[in-house]
Amino acid sequence: MANHKSSLKRIRQDRKKQLHNKYYAKAMRVAVRKLRAMTNKEEAIQLYPSVQKMLDKLAKTNIIHKNKASNLKSSLCHHISKLA
């Protein structure tokens, strides 16, 4: 365990940030899973902009990597285009 006041504070801050990041990353995964499970093209097209916005925000705040966000958006767009 750390002995310095600053390192104890850093541990508290890191734990708080970790919980914050975990919450938003999990919300993103759930949204992506929900979009992938859709079979109706119109509903998927309506949901896609909100998922895209979420991915862009998470990439901007470094919760996920920008290339991961780009890859997810691309694969989701591909999935939507294949729906009947």
Side-chain angles (χ1 to χ4, degrees):
M1 187 65 191
N3 293 320
H4 295 284
K5 267 183 132 180
S6 60
S7 55
L8 291 172
K9 181 178 179 180
R10 177 57 62 193
I11 290 169
R12 287 195 309 271
Q13 288 175 334
D14 288 343
R15 195 172 298 136
K16 190 173 180 180
K17 280 182 190 172
Q18 181 186 19
L19 287 172
H20 177 267
N21 291 346
K22 190 188 282 187
Y23 171 80
Y24 284 104
K26 182 69 175 176
M28 179 264 309
R29 285 195 301 271
V30 168
V32 168
R33 213 173 286 133
K34 182 179 176 183
L35 186 60
R36 281 209 179 110
M38 286 190 169
T39 55
N40 188 352
K41 189 170 189 164
E42 289 77 30
E43 289 178 14
I45 289 172
Q46 285 188 343
L47 183 65
Y48 180 70
S50 62
V51 174
Q52 184 179 12
K53 184 177 178 183
M54 183 187 298
L55 289 168
D56 288 335
K57 279 186 178 181
L58 293 177
K60 188 174 84 172
T61 55
N62 290 324
I63 293 175
I64 61 171
H65 196 272
K66 63 177 184 159
N67 291 350
K68 180 182 176 87
S70 182
N71 288 335
L72 282 171
K73 288 190 294 186
S74 176
S75 68
L76 289 173
C77 197
H78 182 70
H79 169 73
I80 291 171
S81 69
K82 288 196 320 185
L83 290 175

